[in-house]
Every structure is written in structure tokens, then in C-alpha cells.
Amino acid sequence: MKIGIIGTGVFGASLALALASNQKNEIVMWSENAELVKEYKKTAKIPTLFQDKMFPKSIKITNSYEEALKDAKLVLLVTSVLYLESVCKEISSLLSSDIPVTIGTKGIAEDSHLFVHEIAKKSLKNPISILGGPTFALDVANLEPVGLNVASKNKKCIKATLEAFQGTSVFVEPSHDLVGTALCGCVKNIYAIGSGIVSGLGYKESTHFFYLTAVYKELETILFHFNSTLTTLHSLSGFGDLVLTCSSSKSRNYTFGEMVGRGSNQQNKEKYLKNNTVEGVHTLKALLPILEKKHIKVPILKTISKIVLEQEKPKSLIEVVTKKGN
């Protein structure tokens, strides 16, 4: 199966490496970076992502959308949410409407407040699915056994994604809950910032998991108001992704939260945000208006927002969790 991957960030490249372990797959990745493509053709490496990792011959990289999409039986969109809409517009005329498109991007558009599948549907008439689950890119790249949900209303899209990952180290579990899966992929990044704040304040594991239990209950409330099911809450994209992202310093959201909890100065925080993609900060600005419009009570999310965006004292997060717990 030919698979076109749009985006050569660390997650897109990691998915390519996992997919290449299925010898029936041929992968062509698209990148806007001409120097990256030139270097890759010489060395079969992407040193900015994986310093010494050699990519197999079944993975090609190009600057041409046409080359990446021609004869593709499945397209993976793994670009930043900031550029997803423009990418979808650019590829819409090059992609037959019957080709399944699976989105690995997570987040919400700050301006339109649309989820990633809604952004794609503005320009693409293709069947759409989204990926979600507890995966760090490096673990995927190293072919560790990992699990992902693929969520779609379209059976063809789910079938194509399952076939692509068959025989790889990635276990893919189907879901029909697009909105719930998208929500979990967004919200967990915000909660991970909060988890980092708890750590940065110096609290130990017991307090950390007290916080996580309160978060899990709040996530259940959010999903309920979006007509999602407990199946999604308990899934790889729900419980799995939440706990992973909120429990590891490998998460940039968690690491940023630690800085906030430790009381790092504004200059250091801004420097970290400039040099790292901290999805939770962008998601906060887009998600809270959506939740407020639905009159959903989310005291933990609101407190994280006040701490991150309004410089409220970090310890107020523990205060709201303790109040909620009592």
C-alpha cells in the first residue's frame, strides 16, 4: 500500500518508521524543507529528529505534494494544527475524494474553534479519521509495542488504517467517536500542564494521583456534554493518553507546567514556549470558550488557564482539587 504522509515532524517520521516495518507499505513523506529533503536523499537520515537513525529504503521524502499523493491508498496528515487548514486547501485538488485521510494532528484552531477533523472537512471531501492514544514519538520510532485508536464514521477509512498498521508494532483499535477522540487529544495536553505544575510545586506521587483522579472525573463530565461514551473515556485515546501525558517529563506540556510550578520567571517561560510546541497553551485559548458556551463546569481547566495565562499563583491548582475532592 502506498501511504502519503504530509509532515516530517517527529510524530510523522515516527509513524513512517512504524509503517515501514510492514513490508507491503511504500511511504512517501512530504516536507516543505528543501534542505531536509536534500540531506535525506544523501544520508537516509533526519538528524534534526533522530541523530543516528537510518530510514529504510521504503520511506522516501519529497517537497512535492504531487509525488507524495500520487497513487496513495491512504494519506496521513501530521502537520501542526496551525497549518492544517492551509495544507488541506493545498492538497484538495490533488487528492481523489475516495482516498481515506487519517489525521495524526491534535488540537483546536484558535480562531475558528474547530477540531482537526472539522478543519479538514472544510476543504476535503474525503473520508476522515483521527488517531489518538498513549504514544511518545520516540517509542513509536523505536518500534516499541504501542496502541492507538483510529476514530471515524467511515468504515473504509478505518479499514485502510488498520491494514496499513497490520503486522507493525502499533496496535490500532477502531472507534466511531470522532468528537470524543479529538477532545481527549486536546484536553490531555492542558491537564498535563497542570500535572507538571503539581510536580513543580514539589508534591509527591500521592498528591499527583489525587490530582489525576480529579482530572479523570472532570474529563468524564466534558465527554458527557459532547455525547461521548464511557467507552472513549476508558480507551487508549482517553484514559491511556491522559495518564501517559500527565505522568512523564517527556511531555513538553508537563515540562512547561513544572517550570510554572517552580516559579520560573516569565522570560524563561516565554523562551521555552518559543523553542517548543506546547499544545496545551494554544488549546486553552480555544477550548475554554467552547466549554463555557455549553455551560460545562471545569474548575480544574479554568484554574490552569488562570495560572498559565493570567499569572495566578500555581498553588491555587491544589486548592481547587482539594475543594473538589471534599
Side-chain angles (χ1 to χ4, degrees):
M1 174 191 294
K2 179 180 175 181
I3 303 165
I5 299 181
I6 307 301
T8 49
V10 64
F11 190 53
S14 298
L15 288 175
L17 286 163
L19 287 162
S21 65
N22 178 343
Q23 295 183 1
K24 295 180 180 178
N25 290 335
E26 172 197 352
I27 298 107
V28 182
M29 302 182 70
W30 174 87
S31 172
E32 64 178 355
N33 188 330
E35 288 301 315
L36 182 149
V37 173
K38 185 177 178 181
E39 179 68 20
Y40 182 86
K41 288 179 178 179
K42 288 180 181 178
T43 65
K45 294 180 181 180
I46 307 180
T48 54
L49 302 180
F50 310 111
Q51 191 170 4
D52 299 314
K53 189 176 289 293
M54 295 283 292
F55 281 61
K57 292 181 180 179
S58 57
I59 301 177
K60 298 178 175 63
I61 299 183
T62 179
N63 294 129
S64 166
Y65 280 130
E66 291 86 348
E67 187 178 348
L69 299 175
K70 185 180 179 182
D71 300 323
K73 302 302 181 185
L74 175 68
V75 174
L76 291 182
L77 297 182
V78 204
T79 184
S80 165
V81 68
L82 300 173
Y83 308 112
L84 184 60
E85 183 171 0
S86 62
V87 166
C88 289
K89 287 178 180 178
E90 289 167 2
I91 68 173
S92 60
S93 62
L94 304 172
L95 195 59
S96 173
S97 61
D98 63 333
I99 303 301
V101 173
T102 295
I103 304 172
T105 302
K106 295 177 181 177
I108 306 176
E110 280 191 46
D111 51 355
S112 64
H113 298 169
L114 295 177
F115 295 111
V116 290
H117 62 284
E118 295 172 327
I119 296 169
K121 285 179 179 178
K122 287 177 65 178
S123 302
L124 302 178
K125 297 180 180 179
N126 304 70
I128 300 288
S129 68
I130 58 177
L131 293 175
T135 51
F136 286 134
L138 188 58
D139 296 335
V140 178
N142 288 334
L143 307 186
E144 298 283 347
V146 299
L148 288 169
N149 283 126
V150 56
S152 181
K153 302 290 186 183
N154 186 280
K155 291 181 179 178
K156 181 178 180 180
C157 208
I158 288 179
K159 182 180 178 181
T161 307
L162 291 174
E163 182 182 342
F165 284 101
Q166 189 173 9
T168 72
S169 56
V170 180
F171 168 79
V172 181
E173 189 173 79
S175 166
H176 300 294
D177 188 3
L178 265 168
V179 173
T181 302
L183 262 170
C184 288
C186 298
V187 175
K188 58 103 178 186
N189 288 321
I190 302 173
Y191 287 133
I193 294 175
S195 195
I197 291 172
V198 173
S199 177
L201 285 167
Y203 291 105
K204 304 303 181 185
E205 287 88 346
S206 297
T207 306
H208 183 78
F209 280 91
F210 179 28
Y211 164 81
L212 270 181
T213 303
V215 160
Y216 192 64
K217 292 177 182 177
E218 187 166 286
L219 177 56
E220 181 181 10
T221 300
I222 295 170
L223 290 173
F224 174 80
H225 282 84
F226 281 86
N227 299 314
S228 188
T229 67
L230 283 175
T231 301
T232 299
L233 179 66
H234 299 159
S235 71
L236 291 162
S237 58
F239 173 82
D241 206 5
L242 177 70
V243 173
L244 176 71
T245 313
C246 289
S247 303
S248 176
S249 57
K250 290 182 182 178
S251 164
R252 289 165 293 191
N253 295 282
Y254 182 98
T255 300
F256 175 70
E258 276 192 313
M259 294 178 66
V260 174
R262 289 197 307 267
S264 289
N265 62 47
Q266 192 63 23
Q267 185 178 0
N268 286 338
K269 288 186 288 186
E270 288 176 0
K271 183 179 178 181
Y272 186 83
L273 290 173
K274 183 179 179 180
N275 295 327
N276 298 274
T277 302
V278 181
E279 298 94 337
V281 174
H282 300 289
T283 304
L284 266 174
K285 299 172 184 177
L287 181 62
L288 280 177
I290 297 173
L291 301 182
E292 288 170 357
K293 190 175 181 180
K294 286 181 169 285
H295 306 290
I296 304 173
K297 293 181 179 179
V298 284
I300 298 174
L301 282 182
K302 284 188 175 180
T303 303
I304 295 170
S305 177
K306 289 177 181 177
I307 294 168
V308 172
L309 303 179
E310 301 173 27
Q311 284 77 55
E312 184 170 304
K313 61 178 183 178
K315 202 165 185 177
S316 63
L317 181 58
I318 295 299
E319 292 169 0
V320 76
V321 169
T322 305
K323 183 178 179 181
K324 189 177 178 67
N326 293 332

